[in-house]
Amino acid sequence: PPKAENGSPSEIILDEFDDLTALSNSINDDSTVSITVVGASGDLAKKKIFPALFALYYEDCLPKHFTIFGYARSKMTDAELRNMVSKTLTCRIDKRENCSEKMEEFLKRCFYHSGQYDSEEHFIDLDKKLKQHEGSRVSNRLFYLSIPPNIFLDVVKCASKSASSVNGWTRVIVEKPFGRDSESSAALTRGLKQYLVEDQIFRIDHYLGKELVENLSVLRFSNLVFEPLWSRQYIRNVQIIFSEDFGTEGRGGYFDGYGIIRDIMQNHLLQILALFAMETPISLEAEDIRNEKVKVLRSMKPLQLEDVVIGQYKSHTKGGTTYPGYTDDKTVPKDSVTPTFAAAALFINNARWDGVPFLMKAGKALHTRRTEIRVQFRHVPGNLYKGSFGTDLDRATNELVIRVQPDEAIYLKINNKIPGLGMRLDRSNLNLHYAARYSKEIPDAYERLLLDAIEGERRLFIRSDELDAAWSLFTPLLKEFEEKRIAPELYPYGSRGPVGAHYLAAKYNVRWG
Ligand code: NDP
Ligand code: BG6
């Protein structure tokens, strides 16, 4: 395998860097970073990776010397790549500003190399081109695998043999899916480790790059009012909810082989759960945080069939418009039983969380788009005011809502007296609404993650043992679903999902928020 990276993980202490420019300067002026986007002709590259790289460039976060190469089989000239990329660049930092000059400068640093994914010869050609740009500087190389997973290993093999750096670091960002069960994930990890050491592998879960997910630890560990309440003693249940108001449009082919549990729950929602529930890490170093996350995952009981409800959206006509069902997609088999919705109850068998249901819900083609963490607190013992809420005592409990997206917010539902001479109580929100509080646009998750990968900061990337633990929780259940071909409950496109999710919650005395 190629050389491991020199030195220890980044020694940057993040809170010392409110100015991001300083972060980029931590890469030496004598070195250069070459970023190769493998699969540059694809959807993710256009939609997310190039725009994120531009945003970093715009904010002066990229090192002084950098080059971006697109690599794919499609034939394209540099000019054609630039033209393709330019169509998706936006001035997200400040929509009123004209970024065209910066865009021009950025595009001049973008190049393209066409090649096969399994050809060492083509990667040798890429290496030659990279060297021309790097000159005599120390070369650091980042490969972003924005390609289907069946070709990950071909690329890693060729890139590591023929295009890795000789005097700097070589890192590879790998996109999900990381396998489809414990066995295939372990095989992928083994395959990657034939050519790379763990420190070179940056497994991306873009939810970890979302602002409010990153803020979870800050909220918890830097506010005295939350951490003491963060346990079974005060928390009744935790809900982690993901919903999209559109179907699998355009990605049905990929999706049918995976389903919502693999697409969203096993990774994005489970990562949120682990961060939410972990013990206080020794420090903010990546290994300390990831050690705590693994402990949570290992303390969990694998999912049981009776604690999971699955659904699939069907066609629905509303206001004269017909929305297609999942199996109407031509790339999806007509008799597919792949779930596009799932709700699950999970439990963490440790002293802090024993008996607390963590409910997850994830679905496509629902009535709204949102990702939220909802923390429902217990009833106030001997509540003096319980009479003031009528019979619905659940309404009297506090709830903390962390709205990850859209319209980021953190709000706490509290009880309050309605002003006036009588004694009537009301629920109000103590609300941190990001758009009102902060004028700056929130960065896209990919910006943060790309910057971290360049900086060698691994905190927000998934370590292989975390991945193994995550798959161990879901693999038996997924196998059972597939072996028994359990039919999902159908729900209309644009609805709130299958009613079974409510029965599941009710089983644990939970009402979905
Ligand atoms: P695409 O299907 O668009 O593939 C990317 C590129 O890979 C294509 O442009 C094509 O380039 C090449 N390619 C596609 N299929 C094959 C094949 N069968 N054999 C060889 N090459 C192929 O993928 P996306 O851009 O959508 O996604 C890239 C990765 O990111 C995937 O792993 C995906 O699961 C993951 N991902 C994607 C998300 C998204 O929103 N799109 C979200 C989260 C993860 P060419 O023909 O020019 O070589
Ligand atoms: C991806 C899933 O990982 O996340 C998609 O594969 C999903 O199915 C997407 O649409 C959601 O990401 P975001 O950032 O738009 O919420």
Side-chain angles (χ1 to χ4, degrees), residues 393-408:
L393 276 184
D394 275 358
R395 272 185 50 76
T397 62
N398 297 120
E399 186 174 14
L400 175 69
V401 181
I402 299 165
R403 191 162 63 220
V404 175
Q405 66 184 31
D407 202 16
E408 292 80 352

Side-chain angles (χ1 to χ4, degrees), residues 278-290 292 459:
M278 71 182 181
E279 297 299 315
T280 315
I282 299 169
S283 78
L284 291 176
E285 286 295 320
E287 297 323 314
D288 291 334
I289 294 175
R290 299 195 292 187
E292 293 307 330
R459 205 165 36 100

Side-chain angles (χ1 to χ4, degrees), residues 82-135:
R82 289 172 188 160
N83 184 37
M84 179 192 88
V85 168
S86 69
K87 293 192 177 121
T88 57
L89 299 188
T90 57
C91 199
R92 89 140 177 85
I93 312 298
D94 186 346
K95 296 202 170 59
R96 289 160 307 184
E97 205 159 304
N98 179 3
C99 303
S100 53
E101 211 174 293
K102 278 277 193 184
M103 279 182 195
E104 283 305 312
E105 285 169 22
F106 172 79
L107 290 169
K108 280 190 196 144
R109 317 274 291 256
C110 296
F111 302 86
Y112 184 75
H113 185 71
S114 164
Q116 296 297 321
Y117 299 112
D118 59 356
S119 163
E120 284 185 34
E121 217 179 294
H122 294 171
F123 277 86
I124 290 174
D125 294 339
L126 172 72
D127 182 62
K128 285 185 193 146
K129 286 192 181 172
L130 293 177
K131 281 188 175 131
Q132 279 169 15
H133 290 273
E134 290 162 349

Side-chain angles (χ1 to χ4, degrees), residues 41-44 47 72-74 117 146-148 151 175-177:
S41 54
D43 180 59
L44 186 73
K47 221 170 53 187
R73 295 170 308 179
S74 302
Y117 299 112
S146 182
I147 41 174
I151 46 176
E175 263 291 350
K176 64 175 260 257

Side-chain angles (χ1 to χ4, degrees), residues 38-48 71-76 112 115 117 144-152 175-177 204 206 251 254 263 268 446:
V38 184
S41 54
D43 180 59
L44 186 73
K46 278 184 258 189
K47 221 170 53 187
K48 293 287 184 184
Y71 186 101
R73 295 170 308 179
S74 302
K75 297 272 178 263
M76 251 192 277
Y112 184 75
Y117 299 112
Y144 195 126
L145 304 194
S146 182
I147 41 174
N150 58 316
I151 46 176
F152 283 171
E175 263 291 350
K176 64 175 260 257
I204 215 165
H206 76 282
R251 292 184 78 215
Y254 147 79
D263 191 46
H268 303 329
Y446 282 89

